[in-house]
Amino acid sequence: MTYAAVLIKPDAIRDILEEMITNDLQTEADVRIIFRKYWLIQKQLVKFIYPDWINKPEFPSMTHNLLQGQSLLLIAKGGINIYTTLQKAKGKMNQGGLRLKYRTKSIEEWETLGFSGKALR
């Protein structure tokens, strides 16, 4: 068995989606959630959560969104391909998966708010 961390961000918590997302992850990704904790992330930790995004133009927006309230940290237990399985279940905003299922705004609406490119995918 392999373990993975999953972070459900503040906007999903605000929209009361965390239980539905958690249930869908367990069903669609065939993982078992073995730990969960609400977590108010501090600004200095964002660079450790998104290390590949630090020098990208979207990083300030990502940081802002992550600091808007509590996130839900999950530890999932699953098969050897847990990361691939979770990424597939997560999907992309306009290409299926949980991001499409639970999105609250279209890509066009997010773009009018200043988001673009990979920040939306």
Side-chain angles (χ1 to χ4, degrees):
M1 288 302 215
T2 307
Y3 300 87
V6 175
L7 190 64
I8 299 177
K9 296 187 282 184
D11 57 332
I13 306 300
R14 178 200 64 221
D15 295 339
I16 314 170
L17 297 173
E18 67 265 34
E19 292 306 321
M20 291 181 282
I21 292 169
T22 300
N23 290 336
D24 284 348
L25 283 174
Q26 292 181 104
T27 302
E28 295 178 26
D30 193 27
V31 298
R32 189 166 64 99
I33 304 302
I34 61 170
F35 177 84
R36 58 185 287 146
K37 180 178 176 142
Y38 286 94
W39 181 26
L40 188 58
I41 297 171
Q42 302 300 311
K43 186 175 184 176
Q44 64 268 26
L45 295 178
V46 177
K47 64 183 176 185
F48 297 106
I49 296 169
Y50 293 122
D52 297 338
W53 290 84
I54 292 172
N55 296 317
K56 296 184 180 179
E58 298 92 347
F59 188 72
S61 296
M62 294 171 76
T63 299
H64 175 76
N65 290 337
L66 204 52
L67 300 178
Q68 293 306 299
Q70 291 187 337
S71 294
L72 178 59
L73 173 65
L74 305 173
I75 303 297
K77 182 178 180 180
I80 194 161
N81 295 321
I82 191 169
Y83 291 104
T84 302
T85 305
L86 285 168
Q87 286 223 315
K88 183 177 178 185
K90 175 183 168 186
K92 297 185 178 190
M93 255 183 111
N94 59 347
Q95 297 177 6
L98 299 178
R99 291 190 86 196
L100 177 62
K101 181 176 182 178
Y102 293 112
R103 79 175 184 188
T104 56
K105 292 177 176 50
S106 69
I107 288 178
E108 293 77 21
E109 290 171 310
W110 283 114
E111 287 174 339
T112 64
L113 294 171
F115 295 90
S116 64
K118 290 183 181 180
L120 295 176
R121 312 289 180 233

CSV table of all heavy atoms in Angstrom, one decimal, residues 65-121:
chain,number,residue,atom,x,y,z
A,65,ASN,N,-5.5,32.3,-2.6
A,65,ASN,CA,-6.6,31.4,-2.5
A,65,ASN,C,-6.4,30.4,-1.3
A,65,ASN,O,-7.4,30.1,-0.6
A,65,ASN,CB,-6.8,30.6,-3.8
A,65,ASN,CG,-7.3,31.5,-4.9
A,65,ASN,OD1,-7.9,32.6,-4.6
A,65,ASN,ND2,-7.1,31.2,-6.1
A,66,LEU,N,-5.2,30.0,-1.1
A,66,LEU,CA,-4.9,29.0,-0.1
A,66,LEU,C,-5.0,29.6,1.3
A,66,LEU,O,-5.3,28.9,2.3
A,66,LEU,CB,-3.5,28.4,-0.3
A,66,LEU,CG,-3.2,27.0,0.3
A,66,LEU,CD1,-4.3,26.0,-0.1
A,66,LEU,CD2,-1.9,26.6,-0.1
A,67,LEU,N,-4.9,30.9,1.4
A,67,LEU,CA,-4.9,31.6,2.7
A,67,LEU,C,-6.3,32.2,3.1
A,67,LEU,O,-6.4,32.9,4.1
A,67,LEU,CB,-3.9,32.7,2.7
A,67,LEU,CG,-2.4,32.3,2.5
A,67,LEU,CD1,-1.5,33.5,2.5
A,67,LEU,CD2,-2.0,31.3,3.5
A,68,GLN,N,-7.3,31.8,2.3
A,68,GLN,CA,-8.6,32.4,2.5
A,68,GLN,C,-9.4,31.7,3.7
A,68,GLN,O,-10.5,32.1,4.0
A,68,GLN,CB,-9.4,32.4,1.2
A,68,GLN,CG,-8.9,33.3,0.2
A,68,GLN,CD,-8.7,34.7,0.7
A,68,GLN,OE1,-9.7,35.4,1.1
A,68,GLN,NE2,-7.5,35.2,0.8
A,69,GLY,N,-8.9,30.7,4.2
A,69,GLY,CA,-9.6,30.0,5.3
A,69,GLY,C,-8.9,28.6,5.5
A,69,GLY,O,-7.9,28.3,5.0
A,70,GLN,N,-9.6,27.8,6.2
A,70,GLN,CA,-9.1,26.4,6.5
A,70,GLN,C,-9.1,25.6,5.3
A,70,GLN,O,-10.1,25.6,4.5
A,70,GLN,CB,-9.8,25.8,7.6
A,70,GLN,CG,-9.6,26.4,9.0
A,70,GLN,CD,-10.3,25.6,10.1
A,70,GLN,OE1,-11.2,24.8,9.8
A,70,GLN,NE2,-9.8,25.7,11.3
A,71,SER,N,-8.1,24.7,5.1
A,71,SER,CA,-8.1,23.6,4.2
A,71,SER,C,-8.4,22.3,4.9
A,71,SER,O,-8.3,22.3,6.1
A,71,SER,CB,-6.8,23.6,3.5
A,71,SER,OG,-6.5,24.7,2.7
A,72,LEU,N,-8.6,21.3,4.2
A,72,LEU,CA,-8.8,20.0,4.8
A,72,LEU,C,-7.6,19.1,4.3
A,72,LEU,O,-7.5,18.9,3.1
A,72,LEU,CB,-10.1,19.3,4.5
A,72,LEU,CG,-10.4,17.9,5.0
A,72,LEU,CD1,-10.3,17.9,6.5
A,72,LEU,CD2,-11.7,17.4,4.5
A,73,LEU,N,-6.8,18.7,5.2
A,73,LEU,CA,-5.7,17.8,4.8
A,73,LEU,C,-6.2,16.3,5.0
A,73,LEU,O,-6.7,16.0,6.1
A,73,LEU,CB,-4.5,18.1,5.7
A,73,LEU,CG,-3.3,17.1,5.6
A,73,LEU,CD1,-2.7,17.2,4.2
A,73,LEU,CD2,-2.3,17.4,6.7
A,74,LEU,N,-6.0,15.5,4.0
A,74,LEU,CA,-6.3,14.1,4.1
A,74,LEU,C,-5.1,13.3,3.8
A,74,LEU,O,-4.3,13.7,3.0
A,74,LEU,CB,-7.4,13.8,3.0
A,74,LEU,CG,-8.7,14.6,2.9
A,74,LEU,CD1,-9.5,14.2,1.7
A,74,LEU,CD2,-9.5,14.3,4.2
A,75,ILE,N,-5.0,12.2,4.5
A,75,ILE,CA,-4.0,11.2,4.2
A,75,ILE,C,-4.8,10.0,3.6
A,75,ILE,O,-5.6,9.5,4.3
A,75,ILE,CB,-3.1,10.8,5.4
A,75,ILE,CG1,-2.4,12.0,6.0
A,75,ILE,CG2,-2.1,9.7,5.0
A,75,ILE,CD1,-1.5,12.7,5.1
A,76,ALA,N,-4.4,9.6,2.4
A,76,ALA,CA,-5.1,8.5,1.7
A,76,ALA,C,-4.2,7.3,1.6
A,76,ALA,O,-3.0,7.5,1.4
A,76,ALA,CB,-5.6,9.0,0.3
A,77,LYS,N,-4.8,6.2,1.7
A,77,LYS,CA,-4.0,4.9,1.5
A,77,LYS,C,-4.6,4.2,0.3
A,77,LYS,O,-5.8,4.1,0.2
A,77,LYS,CB,-4.2,4.1,2.8
A,77,LYS,CG,-3.5,2.8,2.8
A,77,LYS,CD,-3.7,2.1,4.1
A,77,LYS,CE,-3.0,0.8,4.2
A,77,LYS,NZ,-3.3,0.1,5.5
A,78,GLY,N,-3.7,3.8,-0.6
A,78,GLY,CA,-4.2,3.1,-1.8
A,78,GLY,C,-3.1,2.3,-2.4
A,78,GLY,O,-2.1,2.0,-1.8
A,79,GLY,N,-3.3,1.9,-3.7
A,79,GLY,CA,-2.4,1.1,-4.4
A,79,GLY,C,-1.1,1.8,-4.8
A,79,GLY,O,-0.9,3.0,-4.5
A,80,ILE,N,-0.3,1.1,-5.5
A,80,ILE,CA,1.0,1.6,-5.8
A,80,ILE,C,0.9,2.8,-6.8
A,80,ILE,O,1.8,3.7,-6.8
A,80,ILE,CB,1.9,0.5,-6.4
A,80,ILE,CG1,3.4,0.9,-6.5
A,80,ILE,CG2,1.4,0.1,-7.8
A,80,ILE,CD1,4.4,-0.2,-6.6
A,81,ASN,N,-0.1,2.9,-7.5
A,81,ASN,CA,-0.3,4.0,-8.5
A,81,ASN,C,-1.2,5.1,-7.9
A,81,ASN,O,-1.9,5.8,-8.6
A,81,ASN,CB,-0.9,3.5,-9.8
A,81,ASN,CG,0.1,2.6,-10.5
A,81,ASN,OD1,1.3,2.9,-10.5
A,81,ASN,ND2,-0.5,1.6,-11.1
A,82,ILE,N,-1.2,5.3,-6.6
A,82,ILE,CA,-2.1,6.2,-5.9
A,82,ILE,C,-2.0,7.6,-6.4
A,82,ILE,O,-3.1,8.3,-6.6
A,82,ILE,CB,-1.9,6.2,-4.4
A,82,ILE,CG1,-3.0,6.9,-3.7
A,82,ILE,CG2,-0.5,6.8,-4.0
A,82,ILE,CD1,-3.1,6.7,-2.2
A,83,TYR,N,-0.9,8.1,-6.8
A,83,TYR,CA,-0.8,9.5,-7.3
A,83,TYR,C,-1.4,9.6,-8.6
A,83,TYR,O,-2.2,10.6,-8.9
A,83,TYR,CB,0.7,10.0,-7.3
A,83,TYR,CG,1.3,10.2,-5.9
A,83,TYR,CD1,2.1,9.2,-5.4
A,83,TYR,CD2,0.9,11.2,-5.2
A,83,TYR,CE1,2.7,9.4,-4.1
A,83,TYR,CE2,1.4,11.4,-3.9
A,83,TYR,CZ,2.3,10.5,-3.4
A,83,TYR,OH,2.8,10.6,-2.1
A,84,THR,N,-1.2,8.7,-9.5
A,84,THR,CA,-1.8,8.7,-10.8
A,84,THR,C,-3.4,8.6,-10.7
A,84,THR,O,-4.1,9.3,-11.3
A,84,THR,CB,-1.3,7.6,-11.7
A,84,THR,OG1,0.1,7.7,-11.8
A,84,THR,CG2,-1.9,7.6,-13.1
A,85,THR,N,-3.8,7.7,-9.8
A,85,THR,CA,-5.2,7.5,-9.6
A,85,THR,C,-5.9,8.7,-9.0
A,85,THR,O,-7.0,9.1,-9.5
A,85,THR,CB,-5.4,6.3,-8.7
A,85,THR,OG1,-4.7,5.2,-9.2
A,85,THR,CG2,-6.9,6.0,-8.5
A,86,LEU,N,-5.2,9.4,-8.1
A,86,LEU,CA,-5.8,10.6,-7.5
A,86,LEU,C,-5.8,11.7,-8.5
A,86,LEU,O,-6.8,12.5,-8.6
A,86,LEU,CB,-5.0,11.0,-6.2
A,86,LEU,CG,-5.3,10.2,-5.0
A,86,LEU,CD1,-4.2,10.5,-3.9
A,86,LEU,CD2,-6.7,10.4,-4.5
A,87,GLN,N,-4.8,11.9,-9.3
A,87,GLN,CA,-4.7,12.9,-10.3
A,87,GLN,C,-5.8,12.7,-11.3
A,87,GLN,O,-6.5,13.7,-11.8
A,87,GLN,CB,-3.4,13.0,-11.0
A,87,GLN,CG,-2.3,13.6,-10.1
A,87,GLN,CD,-1.5,14.6,-10.8
A,87,GLN,OE1,-1.0,14.3,-11.9
A,87,GLN,NE2,-1.2,15.7,-10.2
A,88,LYS,N,-6.1,11.5,-11.7
A,88,LYS,CA,-7.1,11.2,-12.7
A,88,LYS,C,-8.5,11.5,-12.1
A,88,LYS,O,-9.4,12.1,-12.7
A,88,LYS,CB,-7.1,9.7,-13.1
A,88,LYS,CG,-8.1,9.4,-14.1
A,88,LYS,CD,-8.0,8.0,-14.6
A,88,LYS,CE,-9.1,7.6,-15.6
A,88,LYS,NZ,-9.1,6.2,-16.0
A,89,ALA,N,-8.7,11.2,-10.8
A,89,ALA,CA,-10.0,11.5,-10.1
A,89,ALA,C,-10.2,13.0,-10.0
A,89,ALA,O,-11.3,13.5,-10.1
A,89,ALA,CB,-10.0,10.8,-8.8
A,90,LYS,N,-9.1,13.7,-9.7
A,90,LYS,CA,-9.1,15.2,-9.6
A,90,LYS,C,-9.5,15.8,-10.9
A,90,LYS,O,-10.4,16.7,-10.9
A,90,LYS,CB,-7.8,15.7,-9.1
A,90,LYS,CG,-7.7,17.2,-9.1
A,90,LYS,CD,-6.2,17.6,-8.7
A,90,LYS,CE,-6.0,19.1,-8.9
A,90,LYS,NZ,-4.6,19.5,-8.7
A,91,GLY,N,-9.0,15.3,-12.0
A,91,GLY,CA,-9.3,15.8,-13.3
A,91,GLY,C,-8.9,17.3,-13.5
A,91,GLY,O,-8.0,17.8,-12.8
A,92,LYS,N,-9.5,17.9,-14.5
A,92,LYS,CA,-9.1,19.2,-14.9
A,92,LYS,C,-10.5,20.0,-15.0
A,92,LYS,O,-11.5,19.4,-15.3
A,92,LYS,CB,-8.4,19.3,-16.2
A,92,LYS,CG,-7.0,18.6,-16.1
A,92,LYS,CD,-6.2,18.7,-17.3
A,92,LYS,CE,-4.9,18.0,-17.0
A,92,LYS,NZ,-3.9,18.3,-18.1
A,93,MET,N,-10.4,21.3,-14.8
A,93,MET,CA,-11.6,22.1,-14.8
A,93,MET,C,-12.5,21.9,-16.0
A,93,MET,O,-13.7,22.0,-15.8
A,93,MET,CB,-11.2,23.6,-14.8
A,93,MET,CG,-11.4,24.2,-13.4
A,93,MET,SD,-11.0,25.9,-13.5
A,93,MET,CE,-12.6,26.6,-13.3
A,94,ASN,N,-12.0,21.7,-17.1
A,94,ASN,CA,-12.9,21.5,-18.3
A,94,ASN,C,-12.8,20.2,-19.0
A,94,ASN,O,-13.2,20.0,-20.1
A,94,ASN,CB,-12.5,22.6,-19.3
A,94,ASN,CG,-11.1,22.6,-19.8
A,94,ASN,OD1,-10.3,21.9,-19.2
A,94,ASN,ND2,-10.8,23.3,-20.8
A,95,GLN,N,-12.2,19.2,-18.2
A,95,GLN,CA,-12.0,17.9,-18.9
A,95,GLN,C,-12.4,16.7,-18.0
A,95,GLN,O,-11.7,15.7,-18.0
A,95,GLN,CB,-10.5,17.7,-19.3
A,95,GLN,CG,-10.1,18.8,-20.3
A,95,GLN,CD,-8.7,18.6,-20.7
A,95,GLN,OE1,-7.9,17.8,-20.2
A,95,GLN,NE2,-8.2,19.6,-21.5
A,96,GLY,N,-13.3,16.9,-17.1
A,96,GLY,CA,-13.8,15.8,-16.3
A,96,GLY,C,-13.2,15.8,-14.9
A,96,GLY,O,-12.4,16.6,-14.5
A,97,GLY,N,-13.5,14.8,-14.2
A,97,GLY,CA,-13.0,14.6,-12.8
A,97,GLY,C,-13.7,15.5,-11.8
A,97,GLY,O,-14.7,16.2,-12.2
A,98,LEU,N,-13.2,15.5,-10.6
A,98,LEU,CA,-13.9,16.3,-9.5
A,98,LEU,C,-13.8,17.8,-9.8
A,98,LEU,O,-14.7,18.5,-9.3
A,98,LEU,CB,-13.3,15.9,-8.2
A,98,LEU,CG,-13.4,14.4,-7.8
A,98,LEU,CD1,-12.7,14.1,-6.5
A,98,LEU,CD2,-14.9,14.0,-7.8
A,99,ARG,N,-12.7,18.2,-10.4
A,99,ARG,CA,-12.6,19.7,-10.6
A,99,ARG,C,-13.7,20.2,-11.5
A,99,ARG,O,-14.3,21.3,-11.4
A,99,ARG,CB,-11.3,20.0,-11.2
A,99,ARG,CG,-10.1,19.9,-10.2
A,99,ARG,CD,-8.9,20.4,-10.7
A,99,ARG,NE,-8.8,21.9,-10.3
A,99,ARG,CZ,-8.0,22.7,-10.8
A,99,ARG,NH1,-7.2,22.4,-11.8
A,99,ARG,NH2,-8.0,24.0,-10.5
A,100,LEU,N,-14.1,19.4,-12.5
A,100,LEU,CA,-15.2,19.8,-13.4
A,100,LEU,C,-16.6,19.6,-12.7
A,100,LEU,O,-17.4,20.4,-12.7
A,100,LEU,CB,-15.2,19.0,-14.7
A,100,LEU,CG,-16.4,19.2,-15.6
A,100,LEU,CD1,-16.4,20.7,-16.1
A,100,LEU,CD2,-16.3,18.3,-16.8
A,101,LYS,N,-16.7,18.5,-12.0
A,101,LYS,CA,-17.9,18.1,-11.3
A,101,LYS,C,-18.3,19.2,-10.3
A,101,LYS,O,-19.5,19.6,-10.1
A,101,LYS,CB,-17.8,16.8,-10.6
A,101,LYS,CG,-19.0,16.3,-9.8
A,101,LYS,CD,-18.8,15.0,-9.2
A,101,LYS,CE,-20.1,14.5,-8.5
A,101,LYS,NZ,-19.9,13.1,-8.0
A,102,TYR,N,-17.4,19.8,-9.5
A,102,TYR,CA,-17.6,20.7,-8.4
A,102,TYR,C,-17.2,22.1,-8.7
A,102,TYR,O,-17.3,23.0,-7.9
A,102,TYR,CB,-17.0,20.2,-7.2
A,102,TYR,CG,-17.6,19.0,-6.6
A,102,TYR,CD1,-16.8,17.8,-6.6
A,102,TYR,CD2,-18.9,18.9,-6.2
A,102,TYR,CE1,-17.4,16.6,-6.2
A,102,TYR,CE2,-19.4,17.7,-5.7
A,102,TYR,CZ,-18.7,16.6,-5.7
A,102,TYR,OH,-19.2,15.4,-5.3
A,103,ARG,N,-16.9,22.4,-10.0
A,103,ARG,CA,-16.5,23.8,-10.2
A,103,ARG,C,-17.7,24.8,-10.1
A,103,ARG,O,-18.8,24.4,-10.4
A,103,ARG,CB,-15.9,24.0,-11.6
A,103,ARG,CG,-16.8,24.0,-12.8
A,103,ARG,CD,-16.1,24.2,-14.1
A,103,ARG,NE,-17.1,24.4,-15.1
A,103,ARG,CZ,-16.8,24.4,-16.4
A,103,ARG,NH1,-15.6,24.4,-16.8
A,103,ARG,NH2,-17.8,24.6,-17.3
A,104,THR,N,-17.4,25.9,-9.6
A,104,THR,CA,-18.4,26.9,-9.3
A,104,THR,C,-18.4,28.0,-10.3
A,104,THR,O,-19.4,28.8,-10.3
A,104,THR,CB,-18.2,27.5,-7.9
A,104,THR,OG1,-16.9,28.1,-7.8
A,104,THR,CG2,-18.4,26.5,-6.8
A,105,LYS,N,-17.4,28.1,-11.1
A,105,LYS,CA,-17.3,29.2,-12.2
A,105,LYS,C,-16.8,28.5,-13.4
A,105,LYS,O,-16.0,27.6,-13.4
A,105,LYS,CB,-16.4,30.3,-11.7
A,105,LYS,CG,-16.9,31.1,-10.6
A,105,LYS,CD,-15.9,32.2,-10.2
A,105,LYS,CE,-16.4,33.1,-9.1
A,105,LYS,NZ,-16.9,32.6,-8.0
A,106,SER,N,-17.1,29.1,-14.6
A,106,SER,CA,-16.6,28.6,-15.8
A,106,SER,C,-15.2,29.1,-16.0
A,106,SER,O,-14.8,30.1,-15.3
A,106,SER,CB,-17.4,29.1,-17.0
A,106,SER,OG,-17.3,30.5,-17.2
A,107,ILE,N,-14.4,28.6,-16.9
A,107,ILE,CA,-13.1,29.1,-17.2
A,107,ILE,C,-13.1,30.6,-17.6
A,107,ILE,O,-12.3,31.4,-17.1
A,107,ILE,CB,-12.3,28.3,-18.3
A,107,ILE,CG1,-12.0,26.9,-17.7
A,107,ILE,CG2,-11.1,29.0,-18.8
A,107,ILE,CD1,-11.3,26.0,-18.6
A,108,GLU,N,-14.1,31.0,-18.3
A,108,GLU,CA,-14.2,32.4,-18.7
A,108,GLU,C,-14.5,33.3,-17.5
A,108,GLU,O,-13.9,34.4,-17.4
A,108,GLU,CB,-15.4,32.5,-19.7
A,108,GLU,CG,-15.1,31.9,-21.1
A,108,GLU,CD,-15.3,30.3,-21.0
A,108,GLU,OE1,-16.0,29.8,-20.1
A,108,GLU,OE2,-14.7,29.7,-21.9
A,109,GLU,N,-15.3,32.8,-16.6
A,109,GLU,CA,-15.5,33.6,-15.4
A,109,GLU,C,-14.2,33.8,-14.5
A,109,GLU,O,-13.9,34.8,-14.0
A,109,GLU,CB,-16.6,33.0,-14.5
A,109,GLU,CG,-18.0,33.1,-15.1
A,109,GLU,CD,-19.0,32.3,-14.4
A,109,GLU,OE1,-18.8,31.1,-14.1
A,109,GLU,OE2,-20.1,32.9,-14.1
A,110,TRP,N,-13.5,32.7,-14.4
A,110,TRP,CA,-12.2,32.8,-13.7
A,110,TRP,C,-11.2,33.7,-14.4
A,110,TRP,O,-10.5,34.4,-13.8
A,110,TRP,CB,-11.5,31.4,-13.5
A,110,TRP,CG,-12.2,30.5,-12.5
A,110,TRP,CD1,-12.9,29.4,-12.7
A,110,TRP,CD2,-12.2,30.8,-11.1
A,110,TRP,NE1,-13.4,28.9,-11.5
A,110,TRP,CE2,-13.0,29.8,-10.5
A,110,TRP,CE3,-11.7,31.8,-10.3
A,110,TRP,CZ2,-13.2,29.7,-9.1
A,110,TRP,CZ3,-11.9,31.7,-8.9
A,110,TRP,CH2,-12.6,30.7,-8.3
A,111,GLU,N,-11.2,33.7,-15.7
A,111,GLU,CA,-10.3,34.6,-16.5
A,111,GLU,C,-10.7,36.0,-16.2
A,111,GLU,O,-9.8,36.9,-16.1
A,111,GLU,CB,-10.4,34.2,-18.0
A,111,GLU,CG,-9.7,32.9,-18.3
A,111,GLU,CD,-9.8,32.5,-19.7
A,111,GLU,OE1,-10.8,32.9,-20.4
A,111,GLU,OE2,-9.0,31.7,-20.2
A,112,THR,N,-11.9,36.4,-16.1
A,112,THR,CA,-12.3,37.8,-15.8
A,112,THR,C,-11.9,38.2,-14.4
A,112,THR,O,-11.7,39.3,-14.1
A,112,THR,CB,-13.8,38.0,-15.9
A,112,THR,OG1,-14.5,37.2,-14.9
A,112,THR,CG2,-14.3,37.7,-17.3
A,113,LEU,N,-11.6,37.2,-13.5
A,113,LEU,CA,-11.1,37.4,-12.2
A,113,LEU,C,-9.5,37.5,-12.2
A,113,LEU,O,-8.9,37.6,-11.1
A,113,LEU,CB,-11.6,36.4,-11.2
A,113,LEU,CG,-13.1,36.4,-11.0
A,113,LEU,CD1,-13.5,35.2,-10.2
A,113,LEU,CD2,-13.5,37.7,-10.3
A,114,GLY,N,-8.9,37.3,-13.3
A,114,GLY,CA,-7.5,37.4,-13.4
A,114,GLY,C,-6.7,36.1,-13.5
A,114,GLY,O,-5.5,36.1,-13.5
A,115,PHE,N,-7.4,35.0,-13.5
A,115,PHE,CA,-6.7,33.7,-13.6
A,115,PHE,C,-6.5,33.3,-15.1
A,115,PHE,O,-7.4,33.7,-15.9
A,115,PHE,CB,-7.5,32.6,-12.9
A,115,PHE,CG,-7.5,32.9,-11.4
A,115,PHE,CD1,-8.6,33.6,-10.8
A,115,PHE,CD2,-6.5,32.4,-10.6
A,115,PHE,CE1,-8.6,33.8,-9.5
A,115,PHE,CE2,-6.6,32.6,-9.2
A,115,PHE,CZ,-7.6,33.3,-8.7
A,116,SER,N,-5.5,32.6,-15.4
A,116,SER,CA,-5.2,32.2,-16.7
A,116,SER,C,-4.3,31.0,-16.8
A,116,SER,O,-3.7,30.6,-15.8
A,116,SER,CB,-4.7,33.3,-17.6
A,116,SER,OG,-3.4,33.7,-17.1
A,117,GLY,N,-4.2,30.4,-18.0
A,117,GLY,CA,-3.2,29.4,-18.2
A,117,GLY,C,-3.3,28.2,-17.3
A,117,GLY,O,-4.4,27.7,-17.0
A,118,LYS,N,-2.2,27.7,-16.8
A,118,LYS,CA,-2.1,26.5,-16.0
A,118,LYS,C,-2.8,26.7,-14.7
A,118,LYS,O,-3.2,25.7,-14.1
A,118,LYS,CB,-0.6,26.1,-15.8
A,118,LYS,CG,0.1,25.7,-17.0
A,118,LYS,CD,1.5,25.2,-16.8
A,118,LYS,CE,2.1,24.7,-18.0
A,118,LYS,NZ,3.5,24.3,-17.8
A,119,ALA,N,-3.0,27.9,-14.2
A,119,ALA,CA,-3.7,28.0,-12.9
A,119,ALA,C,-5.2,27.5,-13.1
A,119,ALA,O,-5.8,27.2,-12.1
A,119,ALA,CB,-3.7,29.5,-12.5
A,120,LEU,N,-5.7,27.4,-14.3
A,120,LEU,CA,-7.0,27.0,-14.5
A,120,LEU,C,-7.1,25.5,-14.9
A,120,LEU,O,-8.2,25.0,-15.1
A,120,LEU,CB,-7.7,27.8,-15.6
A,120,LEU,CG,-7.9,29.3,-15.2
A,120,LEU,CD1,-8.5,30.0,-16.4
A,120,LEU,CD2,-8.8,29.4,-14.0
A,121,ARG,N,-6.0,24.9,-15.1
A,121,ARG,CA,-6.0,23.5,-15.7
A,121,ARG,C,-5.8,22.6,-14.6
A,121,ARG,O,-5.5,22.0,-13.9
A,121,ARG,CB,-5.0,23.4,-16.8
A,121,ARG,CG,-5.1,24.5,-17.9
A,121,ARG,CD,-6.4,24.4,-18.7
A,121,ARG,NE,-6.3,25.5,-19.7
A,121,ARG,CZ,-7.3,26.3,-19.8
A,121,ARG,NH1,-8.4,26.3,-19.1
A,121,ARG,NH2,-7.3,27.3,-20.7
